Amino acid sequence: MWREHVTEISIFTALFLLVSAMGFIASRWRASKDMAHLDEWGLGGRNFGGWITWFLIGGDLYTAYTFVAVPALVFGAGAMGFFAVPYTVVIYPMVFLVLCRLWSVSHRHGFVTPADFVRSRFDSPVLALLVAITGIVATMPYIALQLVGIEAVLKTMGVTGESSLARHLPIIIAFAILAAYTYQSGLRAPALIAFVKDTLIYVVILAAVLYLPYKLGGWGEIFDAADAKFAASPNPNDGILLNANNQVQYVTLAFGSALALFLYPHSITGVLASRNRDVIKRNMSALPAYSVLLGLIALLGFMAIAADVQPLPGATAGTVDNNTVVPVLFDQQFPSWFTGVAYAAIGIGALVPAAIMSIAAANLFTRNIYKEYLRRDATPAQEAKVSKLTSLVVKIGAVACIVFLDPQFSIDLQLIGGVIILQTLPAVALGLYTRWFHRGALIAGWAVGMSLGMWMLYQVSSPTRSHFGGSAFPLEKFGFDTTMTIYAGFVAVLANLLVATALTLVLRAAKVADGGDRTSPDEYFADEGDPRVSRDERRGVDAAPESVAGANAR
């Protein structure tokens, strides 16, 4: 089958090798004299300007999985798939208020991870450890899902084999190359590659939304075909419009996903790499341009229906792989050379976020587990070395998820990841505005929210799985006489907040001792032009109490 796709394979391979070369070259791009420091390897020197940050964060948030899974959901369920559009619209005004404060306090103290901030804000190594572990666990399946995007492209090109090893060998090779240049270049590699990735995606999607409607008879024909398909669907929630049963799920999923997006460690990593507050402000104003692109990407699902696309068979006998909808659509409707470019856009679209995610997870382990509990006297060079090695382990784990697990289960794991990362919202996001919450109450809230979220997800079934089959929790399991569902993460984080609030009142009334706050109000408004400590001094500051206290004493 692959012989029918020689042109696509050649273009895909050429562009993949091009960006791989860029990844290795990136170690010399805007590099300092000393890459053996997390500020340099893990945050690109904290010196990225407006354009670099825009491409980096955009390339980080809009991934290969988004490129294939959002239209696949629209293809399979209709309007529900568009939840990704409003959540990426409402998120930016909210994070505009939060991320500037996070950048400033991190700039003052040299924080590398959100757990660094929590450690100093609430003087709680336990709470910081929970935030770090939560971030790592939530990020791992997200990295694995980037492989799902690559796998969908390879499957469409016929680059598969009979055995499990032969089927996954191209992905293993791709991630081995990714691991090599990430180890060498750190965050600079995905930052440089993001320029190519986003340019390719913009070109491919704009060409598709201009050409395909013309070829398929116009938008009227496309929507009529989608409406006819969903009218015959046995699932009453499928359709080009929402109905009474799925509106609550749609709203809570969109809002919950918006709250979760910038709690992920990889999102925060891109922000902390920015040069100053103005860079963040400009980016939060400009990043909604990606949401316009996302809306166009989602419409590819309806176009695939109108084009009568048949998804390729799934890993389990008798199933289909809806993630192949977009690759098959391009294969059927475009010339081979353009299809090769589109496939490369998806493949490269997996490399950028996978690199940033592995770096972010590695930084969490290094700063908040290794440095805090295993070697408190670790030098900056030792920290950088451990983080590099950890990033390799994270990538190996992501590949193992694809090789040894059903890819569909990896997708469900990502939904679980959103529920998990939401439980850090009180400590990280609200902690940037208030120190009112008691650290013990935040730990209890995290435990309740996590437990409730896992119980709810366990109750969700799917056609192929009895438990952990998605994130749409049936309200009837709470005793309501309705067929409506709700996003499990939204309910779990509400429970988290209620427990944290109530227990804070109790603990403060009982005058239970709380930790100190190692930050000060003015530090949440600091900028590059008004440093409290110089960059060289800041690079020597870590999240350990004694070193942060020393920085505050200056």
Side-chain angles (χ1 to χ4, degrees):
M1 183 179 174
W2 66 268
R3 293 181 179 85
E4 302 172 6
H5 300 277
V6 172
T7 302
E8 292 98 319
I9 294 172
S10 300
I11 294 175
F12 177 89
T13 303
L15 289 174
F16 185 90
L17 293 176
L18 170 64
V19 299
S20 298
M22 292 175 63
F24 287 106
I25 294 172
S27 62
R28 301 182 181 87
W29 176 59
R30 303 172 63 91
S32 70
K33 296 179 180 179
D34 181 18
M35 284 287 287
H37 197 290
L38 285 186
D39 266 15
E40 294 296 335
W41 184 83
L43 292 178
R46 298 182 187 258
N47 198 34
F48 289 160
W51 278 108
I52 298 174
T53 302
W54 189 75
F55 279 104
L56 178 65
I57 297 179
D60 184 16
L61 301 182
Y62 298 88
T63 68
Y65 175 63
T66 301
F67 197 45
V68 299
V70 170
L73 182 56
V74 171
F75 176 88
M80 180 56 68
F82 284 92
F83 84 92
V85 179
Y87 103 66
T88 58
V89 173
V90 302
I91 181 59
Y92 295 112
M94 293 191 294
V95 299
F96 184 96
L97 302 173
V98 173
L99 293 182
C100 288
R101 296 174 69 90
L102 178 61
W103 183 92
S104 291
V105 72
S106 300
H107 165 70
R108 283 287 182 89
H109 287 272
F111 298 150
V112 175
T113 71
D116 283 352
F117 162 72
V118 170
R119 175 70 171 87
S120 289
R121 179 65 151 164
F122 296 99
D123 192 21
S124 174
V126 174
L127 185 58
L129 177 64
L130 292 177
V131 170
I133 293 174
T134 301
I136 294 171
V137 172
T139 301
M140 283 294 293
Y142 219 146
I143 302 173
L145 285 178
Q146 305 315 307
L147 297 175
V148 172
I150 298 179
E151 190 171 54
V153 168
L154 295 175
K155 185 186 292 186
T156 307
M157 291 190 296
V159 185
T160 57
E162 296 298 328
S163 67
S164 178
L165 177 61
R167 185 167 65 253
H168 293 108
L169 184 60
I171 293 177
I172 295 172
I173 293 173
F175 255 55
I177 296 172
L178 169 67
Y181 66 66
T182 303
Y183 185 92
Q184 175 176 311
S185 304
L187 193 65
R188 286 175 172 83
L192 186 59
I193 295 172
F195 285 92
V196 177
K197 173 250 184 186
D198 290 353
T199 300
L200 285 175
I201 288 182
Y202 266 100
V203 169
V204 168
I205 296 304
L206 291 177
V209 298
L210 292 175
Y211 174 71
L212 288 179
Y214 166 77
K215 187 172 182 180
L216 297 173
W219 287 108
E221 292 291 332
I222 291 172
F223 282 101
D224 286 345
D227 193 33
K229 174 191 173 181
F230 295 127
S233 172
N235 188 339
N237 292 333
D238 293 348
I240 62 173
L241 298 176
L242 298 173
N243 57 50
N245 287 330
N246 58 19
Q247 288 176 358
V248 172
Q249 169 70 13
Y250 183 91
V251 171
T252 55
L253 179 58
F255 187 62
S257 299
L259 294 177
L261 186 62
F262 274 93
L263 291 172
Y264 278 105
H266 57 277
S267 303
I268 293 175
T269 295
V271 170
L272 296 185
S274 303
R275 179 183 301 150
N276 53 44
R277 286 169 62 98
D278 284 343
V279 168
I280 300 171
K281 292 176 182 178
R282 290 195 301 270
N283 271 275
M284 292 307 107
S285 301
L287 278 169
Y290 279 98
S291 299
V292 177
L293 184 67
L294 182 58
L296 300 176
I297 290 174
L299 288 172
L300 291 175
F302 286 159
M303 297 181 201
I305 294 173
D308 195 26
V309 167
Q310 300 300 316
L312 297 179
T316 305
T319 64
V320 295
D321 183 2
N322 277 349
N323 288 318
T324 60
V325 164
V326 169
V328 172
L329 174 66
F330 278 95
D331 184 49
Q332 292 180 357
Q333 302 296 324
F334 285 98
S336 298
W337 68 268
F338 188 84
T339 302
V341 173
Y343 290 170
I346 298 175
I348 296 169
L351 300 182
V352 173
I356 303 172
M357 291 170 190
S358 65
I359 290 170
N363 289 345
L364 280 168
F365 174 82
T366 300
R367 292 298 292 260
N368 308 116
I369 298 177
Y370 175 78
K371 174 82 171 177
E372 182 76 41
Y373 294 98
L374 302 179
R375 188 163 186 175
R376 296 179 69 85
D377 61 345
T379 65
Q382 289 170 334
E383 284 186 333
K385 184 71 171 180
V386 169
S387 199
K388 289 179 179 181
L389 293 174
T390 305
S391 73
L392 297 179
V393 175
V394 168
K395 293 184 186 72
I396 293 172
V399 173
C401 286
I402 294 298
V403 174
F404 298 109
L405 295 178
D406 179 355
Q408 180 59 44
F409 185 55
S410 298
I411 295 171
D412 294 335
L413 283 176
Q414 195 275 330
L415 297 174
I416 296 172
V419 176
I420 290 173
I421 200 64
L422 267 174
Q423 307 318 311
T424 64
L425 184 144
V428 177
L430 297 185
L432 287 164
Y433 274 90
T434 179
R435 182 56 178 80
W436 179 79
F437 289 102
H438 193 285
R439 59 183 181 180
L442 287 172
I443 293 172
W446 177 92
V448 169
M450 196 68 70
S451 299
L452 178 60
M454 291 301 101
W455 176 81
M456 294 174 69
L457 291 168
Y458 182 80
Q459 301 298 318
V460 178
S461 61
S462 70
T464 58
R465 193 170 298 108
S466 300
H467 305 288
F468 296 105
S471 61
F473 182 78
L475 284 174
E476 64 181 9
K477 292 186 180 294
F478 278 146
F480 294 97
D481 185 17
T482 179
T483 57
M484 291 191 298
T485 59
I486 191 169
Y487 177 49
F490 184 77
V491 178
V493 77
L494 282 181
N496 183 338
L497 287 168
L498 287 173
V499 170
T501 301
L503 195 54
T504 294
L505 293 172
V506 171
L507 292 175
R508 297 217 181 281
K511 296 184 179 180
V512 175
D514 196 4
D517 182 1
R518 301 182 185 279
T519 68
S520 59
D522 66 295
E523 292 173 344
Y524 293 89
F525 300 94
D527 206 346
E528 178 68 20
D530 180 31
R532 189 167 183 177
V533 293
S534 71
R535 175 174 294 178
D536 289 339
E537 290 176 311
R538 187 176 70 250
R539 284 175 51 174
V541 177
D542 60 44
E546 55 271 14
S547 58
V548 174
N552 285 341
R554 289 191 182 96

